[in-house]
Amino acid sequence: MKRTCCLMLLSLLALAGCGKPQPPEPERRPEPQATALRDAIDKPLQDAKAAQAAVEEAAKARDAALQAAEGAAPAD
């Protein structure tokens, strides 16, 4: 009696494990992680471009001031 009861219980458990498989989850798009990396790379480049523009503006102002000073200076 015990054997048949245990055998029935084991077979019931084995059949319960053979259920219908669940469908896989739909694929999700990966979260954009490259934007942070791209921003980290791009920030120093933008800073360098801004610094270059400031240097060029200062050079133009210096040249204009130099030319104005030369034009206003008395001739020897």
Side-chain angles (χ1 to χ4, degrees), residues 5-6 9-10 16-17 34 40-41 47 50-51 53-54 58 68:
C5 188
C6 286
L9 185 61
L10 282 173
I41 292 171
D47 291 346

Side-chain angles (χ1 to χ4, degrees), residues 52-68:
Q52 182 65 32
V55 167
E56 288 175 1
E57 285 296 318
K60 284 181 187 178
R62 182 197 65 218
D63 291 343
L66 187 59
Q67 286 206 356

